Amino acid sequence: MDGGGVDLDAAARTLTIRIDFVAGSRFAVPGVDGVHPVHDTVTKRLRHLNFFQHECTLEVRVPRVKLPGGSVRQVEPDWVGRLSGFTLLFEALVLALCQQMTFTGVARLVNLSPHRVMAICSHYVEQAVAQADFSEVVSLLAIDETARARGHDYVTLAADAKRRAVVFVTEGRGAETIEALAADLEAHGADPHGIESVSIDMSPAFIKGVTAHLPNARITFDKFHVLAHASTALDTMRRREQKTDPDLKGLRWTLLKDRQHLSPAARADLDAVLAQLTTKRTARAWRYREQLRAILNRKQINVVRLLLAQWCTNVMRSKVEPMKEVAKMIRRHIEGIIAWAQTRQTNGFLEALNGLFQAAKRKARGYGRLSTIRTVIFLLAGKLDFSKLNPHVAR
């Protein structure tokens, strides 16, 4: 390509660069031997990186060449973007920005519609996911769900636990999502029977799906899910007891937070409650939760098994009714909970991703659509290799 002229409109803050080729040039066509004469041309306008404060557009005269067989083929420069109307450098910029900002925010920054920004990201995500090879990287999985809209509308995520990278996103949270995950892994070169370990919550649907479609995977219920149930039981006990004990009002977060993270005043309030261990069931519920936390921090499987069994017995003999449901849950899922002591496998990073996604969703419209959710999640946590599609995108 050769230069064709420049138009700078200072008032409109636009720069147009015209690009042409030298008369008489011949061009190669991939898959066809030799170089070929120009048949005619088409003019394309491509959005490029800004020149200082000026929005830059390349006006490119693109040749169409005539092949020996009589057919006509268009020959584009190798810096033309994957989507119509952009250069590769501009698309790389949009991708980088969208990994830090909402589509709407990026659209305002680069002066495009949110739909066009989303289209760029969606195209790259879908192409990169289609090319992904999981044959050597996926053996430990973390699976979780996130709400895509209000009510009971969910999306299931699966991630490679070693790389902490999302590898699969689908609608729903039933056993069929695990079946779809197994099929997707196989389509990308991974053997579902080769999955060694899976970290999930205690959803019966997930347990059923993993057992049926990832048959050799050891199920792990990480301690954070177990402790979350214990914290819920603690708060339930507080709410029940505060009806007759006004001293417990306003202490929700004091009781739920780790003691070491409390302010001196909140720590004093907590100590005042714990001093009444024999009379306040809320105090005993807090003590049970902390005992459970200490047990799950142990690493000896046999010790954890014995301590959990004793903990469940003690709770079932107590009058802390909400915590009894936790004890029953632990007894039902004892093997998966004990597995935590050995694997230390967690999907806590998916919980963190869920928080990022929900925050992004609150700032932008259109995040209720599955296609958009899928694009956003893969951009945030897919660790996709876009460099094969665009050499200007950092791997």
Side-chain angles (χ1 to χ4, degrees):
M1 289 292 178
D2 196 5
V6 174
D7 288 332
L8 177 65
D9 188 335
R13 293 187 176 183
T14 62
L15 173 67
T16 302
I17 301 175
R18 292 187 299 278
I19 300 177
D20 203 346
F21 56 88
V22 176
S25 297
R26 288 173 169 260
F27 297 90
V29 174
V32 181
D33 293 334
V35 290
H36 312 283
V38 175
H39 174 70
D40 60 12
T41 63
V42 293
T43 300
K44 292 193 172 186
R45 291 178 60 83
L46 307 175
R47 178 70 186 278
H48 191 48
L49 299 181
N50 283 8
F51 180 76
F52 292 95
Q53 72 272 31
H54 298 86
E55 188 175 297
C56 184
T57 300
L58 305 184
E59 196 171 273
V60 187
R61 191 162 166 256
V62 179
R64 298 201 316 153
V65 300
K66 193 166 187 177
L67 301 181
S71 63
V72 175
R73 191 84 60 87
Q74 185 169 286
V75 181
E76 291 187 336
D78 56 10
W79 36 262
V80 172
R82 291 275 174 171
L83 277 75
S84 176
F86 307 112
T87 64
L88 286 173
L89 275 168
F90 184 80
E91 291 174 349
L93 172 66
V94 169
L95 275 176
L97 291 174
C98 285
Q99 289 174 313
Q100 306 296 326
M101 303 168 60
T102 64
F103 294 149
T104 305
V106 174
R108 285 196 297 265
L109 188 63
V110 300
N111 194 26
L112 282 182
S113 70
H115 174 76
R116 292 290 277 162
V117 169
M118 192 184 306
I120 292 173
C121 295
S122 178
H123 177 85
Y124 274 87
V125 164
E126 292 307 315
Q127 291 293 313
V129 170
Q131 296 178 11
D133 180 7
F134 301 152
S135 58
E136 296 183 0
V137 297
V138 177
S139 60
L140 309 179
L141 288 178
I143 301 174
D144 202 0
E145 79 263 352
T146 184
R148 59 177 282 191
R150 291 183 180 180
H152 303 283
D153 208 356
Y154 290 89
V155 171
T156 292
L157 319 177
D160 175 1
K162 287 183 179 179
R163 294 189 303 128
R164 297 199 166 200
V166 171
V167 297
F168 180 73
V169 179
T170 193
E171 193 170 21
R173 59 173 179 172
E176 70 279 359
T177 63
I178 310 301
E179 182 180 7
L181 165 63
D184 188 76
L185 290 174
E186 197 164 14
H188 287 86
D191 181 5
H193 291 77
I195 304 302
E196 301 169 4
S197 180
V198 176
S199 175
I200 56 176
D201 62 23
M202 295 174 194
S203 159
F206 280 173
I207 296 170
K208 179 182 177 181
V210 169
T211 303
H213 302 291
L214 305 174
N216 296 325
R218 184 181 187 184
I219 293 176
T220 295
F221 303 122
D222 72 46
K223 75 169 187 177
F224 303 104
H225 281 123
V226 180
L227 291 175
H229 284 279
S231 291
T232 298
L234 166 59
D235 193 50
T236 300
M237 188 70 257
R238 177 196 63 82
R239 284 188 283 107
R240 289 183 185 178
E241 200 168 25
Q242 77 176 11
K243 293 177 181 178
T244 57
D245 188 347
D247 291 342
L248 292 173
K249 291 184 178 180
L251 294 180
R252 181 186 182 193
W253 297 113
T254 298
L255 290 163
L256 293 181
K257 284 185 178 180
D258 290 347
R259 189 178 187 279
Q260 61 186 6
H261 295 149
L262 294 175
S263 66
R267 199 174 299 144
D269 291 338
L270 175 62
D271 291 341
V273 173
L274 299 180
Q276 304 174 64
L277 193 65
T278 57
T279 57
K280 288 189 188 296
R281 294 178 186 178
T282 299
R284 294 200 292 279
W286 185 92
R287 182 64 57 85
Y288 284 137
R289 187 194 63 178
E290 294 308 300
Q291 289 173 349
L292 186 57
R293 188 195 305 276
I295 293 170
L296 294 176
N297 282 335
R298 305 289 290 264
K299 294 184 178 180
Q300 306 92 336
I301 290 180
N302 291 335
V303 172
V304 172
R305 186 185 298 275
L306 289 172
L307 291 176
L308 282 177
Q310 186 59 57
W311 184 90
C312 290
T313 299
N314 294 343
V315 169
M316 295 304 293
R317 289 174 177 171
S318 75
K319 294 183 179 180
V320 184
E321 297 301 325
M323 201 63 73
K324 290 183 180 180
E325 296 303 314
V326 180
K328 292 175 185 177
M329 178 197 70
I330 290 175
R331 285 176 171 175
R332 287 195 305 271
H333 301 296
I334 187 69
E335 294 304 323
I337 295 171
I338 289 174
W340 156 261
Q342 185 175 51
T343 67
R344 282 301 195 262
Q345 188 178 341
T346 177
N347 55 4
F349 66 97
L350 284 181
E351 299 281 358
L353 170 63
N354 183 27
L356 288 174
F357 171 70
Q358 297 300 334
K361 190 173 68 173
R362 287 191 292 270
K363 295 178 183 177
R365 296 178 180 178
Y367 278 29
R369 294 197 300 270
L370 178 62
S371 59
T372 310
I373 290 171
R374 174 184 168 86
T375 297
V376 171
I377 289 174
F378 273 117
L379 278 176
L380 290 175
K383 295 185 179 179
L384 296 172
D385 182 8
F386 295 122
S387 64
K388 295 178 181 178
L389 303 170
N390 187 334
H392 303 292
V393 179
R395 187 169 183 178

